[in-house]
Amino acid sequence: MMNKNLSFSEKVNYVVRNIPFGRIMTYGQVAALAGNPRAARIVGGIAHYGDSDLPWHRVVNKNGGLASGYPGGRIEHKIVLSAEGVHISELGYVAVDEYIWWPDLSL
DNA sequence: CGAGTGACCGCAA
DNA sequence: ATTGCGGCCACTC
């Protein structure tokens, strides 16, 4: 695949957009798929600046905590995710180990 | 073009 | 589970 022509934000854009319903990904994971496992912060930055069309609510930090700067706050983030069928603890933590999604490696 | 910013990650106590 | 510290890199102004 010749994705190398895509900018980092473009790759992030592509990955986030392909996260299926009821599934989540971590920032570090998206960053790794975008080509920079250390650019997790960049993913957050991209989320903050633009690409508002992407399902950022499906992107959480590796600890399972919801984004603190999400529009409306963690509460909205929690509501949206719960609407996707993702169970969230009252503290606003999601079971990353259960809902985490990777590209279809399964055959 | 320079500096600051950020929705993070990892480890340690 | 929480808190604190440092590092990392692309994006915006």
PDB file of all heavy atoms in Angstrom, chain A residues 47-66:
ATOM      1  N   ALA A  47      -6.726  16.012  16.925  1.00  0.00           N
ATOM      2  CA  ALA A  47      -8.130  15.937  17.333  1.00  0.00           C
ATOM      3  C   ALA A  47      -8.616  17.299  17.804  1.00  0.00           C
ATOM      4  O   ALA A  47      -9.736  17.714  17.519  1.00  0.00           O
ATOM      5  CB  ALA A  47      -8.277  14.906  18.445  1.00  0.00           C
ATOM      6  N   HIS A  48      -7.735  17.999  18.508  1.00  0.00           N
ATOM      7  CA  HIS A  48      -8.124  19.292  19.070  1.00  0.00           C
ATOM      8  C   HIS A  48      -8.237  20.360  17.984  1.00  0.00           C
ATOM      9  O   HIS A  48      -9.111  21.215  18.029  1.00  0.00           O
ATOM     10  CB  HIS A  48      -7.100  19.712  20.109  1.00  0.00           C
ATOM     11  CG  HIS A  48      -7.417  21.047  20.695  1.00  0.00           C
ATOM     12  ND1 HIS A  48      -8.487  21.237  21.552  1.00  0.00           N
ATOM     13  CD2 HIS A  48      -6.840  22.253  20.535  1.00  0.00           C
ATOM     14  CE1 HIS A  48      -8.519  22.532  21.892  1.00  0.00           C
ATOM     15  NE2 HIS A  48      -7.534  23.159  21.297  1.00  0.00           N
ATOM     16  N   TYR A  49      -7.372  20.302  17.008  1.00  0.00           N
ATOM     17  CA  TYR A  49      -7.324  21.364  16.007  1.00  0.00           C
ATOM     18  C   TYR A  49      -8.348  21.196  14.895  1.00  0.00           C
ATOM     19  O   TYR A  49      -9.044  22.123  14.517  1.00  0.00           O
ATOM     20  CB  TYR A  49      -5.914  21.433  15.408  1.00  0.00           C
ATOM     21  CG  TYR A  49      -4.940  22.075  16.339  1.00  0.00           C
ATOM     22  CD1 TYR A  49      -3.811  21.394  16.785  1.00  0.00           C
ATOM     23  CD2 TYR A  49      -5.166  23.369  16.788  1.00  0.00           C
ATOM     24  CE1 TYR A  49      -2.916  22.002  17.642  1.00  0.00           C
ATOM     25  CE2 TYR A  49      -4.280  23.979  17.644  1.00  0.00           C
ATOM     26  CZ  TYR A  49      -3.153  23.297  18.065  1.00  0.00           C
ATOM     27  OH  TYR A  49      -2.273  23.893  18.917  1.00  0.00           O
ATOM     28  N   GLY A  50      -8.402  20.002  14.345  1.00  0.00           N
ATOM     29  CA  GLY A  50      -9.309  19.839  13.202  1.00  0.00           C
ATOM     30  C   GLY A  50      -9.869  18.439  13.121  1.00  0.00           C
ATOM     31  O   GLY A  50      -9.937  17.759  14.126  1.00  0.00           O
ATOM     32  N   ASP A  51     -10.246  17.998  11.949  1.00  0.00           N
ATOM     33  CA  ASP A  51     -10.770  16.656  11.727  1.00  0.00           C
ATOM     34  C   ASP A  51     -11.933  16.365  12.672  1.00  0.00           C
ATOM     35  O   ASP A  51     -11.995  15.328  13.301  1.00  0.00           O
ATOM     36  CB  ASP A  51      -9.676  15.612  11.909  1.00  0.00           C
ATOM     37  CG  ASP A  51      -8.592  15.801  10.868  1.00  0.00           C
ATOM     38  OD1 ASP A  51      -8.928  15.921   9.688  1.00  0.00           O
ATOM     39  OD2 ASP A  51      -7.414  15.820  11.239  1.00  0.00           O
ATOM     40  N   SER A  52     -12.795  17.309  12.837  1.00  0.00           N
ATOM     41  CA  SER A  52     -13.915  17.145  13.762  1.00  0.00           C
ATOM     42  C   SER A  52     -14.930  16.142  13.230  1.00  0.00           C
ATOM     43  O   SER A  52     -15.872  15.783  13.908  1.00  0.00           O
ATOM     44  CB  SER A  52     -14.582  18.499  13.986  1.00  0.00           C
ATOM     45  OG  SER A  52     -14.794  19.128  12.738  1.00  0.00           O
ATOM     46  N   ASP A  53     -14.735  15.704  11.995  1.00  0.00           N
ATOM     47  CA  ASP A  53     -15.681  14.744  11.415  1.00  0.00           C
ATOM     48  C   ASP A  53     -15.392  13.323  11.874  1.00  0.00           C
ATOM     49  O   ASP A  53     -16.186  12.429  11.668  1.00  0.00           O
ATOM     50  CB  ASP A  53     -15.595  14.794   9.893  1.00  0.00           C
ATOM     51  CG  ASP A  53     -16.013  16.171   9.394  1.00  0.00           C
ATOM     52  OD1 ASP A  53     -16.969  16.719   9.941  1.00  0.00           O
ATOM     53  OD2 ASP A  53     -15.373  16.666   8.465  1.00  0.00           O
ATOM     54  N   LEU A  54     -14.231  13.149  12.465  1.00  0.00           N
ATOM     55  CA  LEU A  54     -13.835  11.810  12.865  1.00  0.00           C
ATOM     56  C   LEU A  54     -14.435  11.422  14.204  1.00  0.00           C
ATOM     57  O   LEU A  54     -14.666  12.266  15.052  1.00  0.00           O
ATOM     58  CB  LEU A  54     -12.311  11.748  12.947  1.00  0.00           C
ATOM     59  CG  LEU A  54     -11.654  12.153  11.626  1.00  0.00           C
ATOM     60  CD1 LEU A  54     -10.148  12.098  11.766  1.00  0.00           C
ATOM     61  CD2 LEU A  54     -12.106  11.232  10.526  1.00  0.00           C
ATOM     62  N   PRO A  55     -14.680  10.133  14.393  1.00  0.00           N
ATOM     63  CA  PRO A  55     -15.253   9.627  15.657  1.00  0.00           C
ATOM     64  C   PRO A  55     -14.224   9.617  16.771  1.00  0.00           C
ATOM     65  O   PRO A  55     -13.845   8.559  17.243  1.00  0.00           O
ATOM     66  CB  PRO A  55     -15.700   8.212  15.282  1.00  0.00           C
ATOM     67  CG  PRO A  55     -14.795   7.795  14.161  1.00  0.00           C
ATOM     68  CD  PRO A  55     -14.466   9.058  13.405  1.00  0.00           C
ATOM     69  N   TRP A  56     -13.793  10.774  17.194  1.00  0.00           N
ATOM     70  CA  TRP A  56     -12.770  10.852  18.241  1.00  0.00           C
ATOM     71  C   TRP A  56     -13.291  10.266  19.542  1.00  0.00           C
ATOM     72  O   TRP A  56     -12.509   9.978  20.438  1.00  0.00           O
ATOM     73  CB  TRP A  56     -12.352  12.300  18.442  1.00  0.00           C
ATOM     74  CG  TRP A  56     -11.603  12.842  17.269  1.00  0.00           C
ATOM     75  CD1 TRP A  56     -12.059  13.770  16.375  1.00  0.00           C
ATOM     76  CD2 TRP A  56     -10.285  12.486  16.852  1.00  0.00           C
ATOM     77  NE1 TRP A  56     -11.086  14.021  15.443  1.00  0.00           N
ATOM     78  CE2 TRP A  56      -9.990  13.237  15.701  1.00  0.00           C
ATOM     79  CE3 TRP A  56      -9.314  11.603  17.348  1.00  0.00           C
ATOM     80  CZ2 TRP A  56      -8.779  13.134  15.039  1.00  0.00           C
ATOM     81  CZ3 TRP A  56      -8.114  11.498  16.672  1.00  0.00           C
ATOM     82  CH2 TRP A  56      -7.855  12.267  15.533  1.00  0.00           C
ATOM     83  N   HIS A  57     -14.562  10.136  19.674  1.00  0.00           N
ATOM     84  CA  HIS A  57     -15.103   9.582  20.923  1.00  0.00           C
ATOM     85  C   HIS A  57     -14.716   8.119  21.059  1.00  0.00           C
ATOM     86  O   HIS A  57     -14.797   7.535  22.124  1.00  0.00           O
ATOM     87  CB  HIS A  57     -16.612   9.762  20.955  1.00  0.00           C
ATOM     88  CG  HIS A  57     -17.317   9.139  19.807  1.00  0.00           C
ATOM     89  ND1 HIS A  57     -17.604   9.837  18.647  1.00  0.00           N
ATOM     90  CD2 HIS A  57     -17.764   7.888  19.628  1.00  0.00           C
ATOM     91  CE1 HIS A  57     -18.223   9.001  17.821  1.00  0.00           C
ATOM     92  NE2 HIS A  57     -18.331   7.824  18.389  1.00  0.00           N
ATOM     93  N   ARG A  58     -14.307   7.510  19.941  1.00  0.00           N
ATOM     94  CA  ARG A  58     -13.864   6.114  20.003  1.00  0.00           C
ATOM     95  C   ARG A  58     -12.383   6.034  20.315  1.00  0.00           C
ATOM     96  O   ARG A  58     -11.823   4.960  20.395  1.00  0.00           O
ATOM     97  CB  ARG A  58     -14.149   5.428  18.678  1.00  0.00           C
ATOM     98  CG  ARG A  58     -15.642   5.309  18.416  1.00  0.00           C
ATOM     99  CD  ARG A  58     -15.898   4.625  17.073  1.00  0.00           C
ATOM    100  NE  ARG A  58     -17.318   4.690  16.768  1.00  0.00           N
ATOM    101  CZ  ARG A  58     -17.797   4.605  15.537  1.00  0.00           C
ATOM    102  NH1 ARG A  58     -16.983   4.453  14.517  1.00  0.00           N
ATOM    103  NH2 ARG A  58     -19.072   4.663  15.332  1.00  0.00           N
ATOM    104  N   VAL A  59     -11.754   7.159  20.450  1.00  0.00           N
ATOM    105  CA  VAL A  59     -10.327   7.177  20.773  1.00  0.00           C
ATOM    106  C   VAL A  59     -10.142   7.569  22.233  1.00  0.00           C
ATOM    107  O   VAL A  59     -10.576   8.625  22.661  1.00  0.00           O
ATOM    108  CB  VAL A  59      -9.596   8.186  19.879  1.00  0.00           C
ATOM    109  CG1 VAL A  59      -8.106   8.136  20.151  1.00  0.00           C
ATOM    110  CG2 VAL A  59      -9.880   7.880  18.410  1.00  0.00           C
ATOM    111  N   VAL A  60      -9.503   6.685  22.986  1.00  0.00           N
ATOM    112  CA  VAL A  60      -9.278   6.953  24.408  1.00  0.00           C
ATOM    113  C   VAL A  60      -7.807   6.748  24.726  1.00  0.00           C
ATOM    114  O   VAL A  60      -7.053   6.241  23.915  1.00  0.00           O
ATOM    115  CB  VAL A  60     -10.122   5.998  25.264  1.00  0.00           C
ATOM    116  CG1 VAL A  60     -11.597   6.190  24.969  1.00  0.00           C
ATOM    117  CG2 VAL A  60      -9.700   4.555  25.029  1.00  0.00           C
ATOM    118  N   ASN A  61      -7.384   7.151  25.892  1.00  0.00           N
ATOM    119  CA  ASN A  61      -5.992   6.925  26.268  1.00  0.00           C
ATOM    120  C   ASN A  61      -5.811   5.490  26.724  1.00  0.00           C
ATOM    121  O   ASN A  61      -6.772   4.778  26.962  1.00  0.00           O
ATOM    122  CB  ASN A  61      -5.566   7.897  27.360  1.00  0.00           C
ATOM    123  CG  ASN A  61      -6.543   7.888  28.499  1.00  0.00           C
ATOM    124  OD1 ASN A  61      -6.956   6.832  28.941  1.00  0.00           O
ATOM    125  ND2 ASN A  61      -6.923   9.037  28.953  1.00  0.00           N
ATOM    126  N   LYS A  62      -4.588   5.074  26.830  1.00  0.00           N
ATOM    127  CA  LYS A  62      -4.306   3.667  27.057  1.00  0.00           C
ATOM    128  C   LYS A  62      -4.805   3.197  28.408  1.00  0.00           C
ATOM    129  O   LYS A  62      -5.022   2.030  28.630  1.00  0.00           O
ATOM    130  CB  LYS A  62      -2.812   3.413  26.960  1.00  0.00           C
ATOM    131  CG  LYS A  62      -2.588   1.997  26.570  1.00  0.00           C
ATOM    132  CD  LYS A  62      -1.130   1.736  26.403  1.00  0.00           C
ATOM    133  CE  LYS A  62      -0.994   0.306  25.918  1.00  0.00           C
ATOM    134  NZ  LYS A  62       0.372  -0.053  25.847  1.00  0.00           N
ATOM    135  N   ASN A  63      -4.969   4.095  29.307  1.00  0.00           N
ATOM    136  CA  ASN A  63      -5.454   3.761  30.636  1.00  0.00           C
ATOM    137  C   ASN A  63      -6.958   3.510  30.612  1.00  0.00           C
ATOM    138  O   ASN A  63      -7.546   3.071  31.585  1.00  0.00           O
ATOM    139  CB  ASN A  63      -5.123   4.893  31.597  1.00  0.00           C
ATOM    140  CG  ASN A  63      -5.257   4.408  33.028  1.00  0.00           C
ATOM    141  OD1 ASN A  63      -5.047   3.231  33.302  1.00  0.00           O
ATOM    142  ND2 ASN A  63      -5.602   5.304  33.897  1.00  0.00           N
ATOM    143  N   GLY A  64      -7.609   3.796  29.496  1.00  0.00           N
ATOM    144  CA  GLY A  64      -9.055   3.621  29.407  1.00  0.00           C
ATOM    145  C   GLY A  64      -9.798   4.884  29.809  1.00  0.00           C
ATOM    146  O   GLY A  64     -11.020   4.929  29.760  1.00  0.00           O
ATOM    147  N   GLY A  65      -9.071   5.894  30.187  1.00  0.00           N
ATOM    148  CA  GLY A  65      -9.709   7.151  30.577  1.00  0.00           C
ATOM    149  C   GLY A  65     -10.158   7.930  29.357  1.00  0.00           C
ATOM    150  O   GLY A  65      -9.486   7.951  28.338  1.00  0.00           O
ATOM    151  N   LEU A  66     -11.286   8.591  29.455  1.00  0.00           N
ATOM    152  CA  LEU A  66     -11.804   9.353  28.329  1.00  0.00           C
ATOM    153  C   LEU A  66     -11.064  10.679  28.210  1.00  0.00           C
ATOM    154  O   LEU A  66     -10.479  11.163  29.163  1.00  0.00           O
ATOM    155  CB  LEU A  66     -13.301   9.595  28.545  1.00  0.00           C
ATOM    156  CG  LEU A  66     -14.069   8.287  28.771  1.00  0.00           C
ATOM    157  CD1 LEU A  66     -15.552   8.593  28.955  1.00  0.00           C
ATOM    158  CD2 LEU A  66     -13.873   7.343  27.615  1.00  0.00           C
TER     159      LEU A  66
END
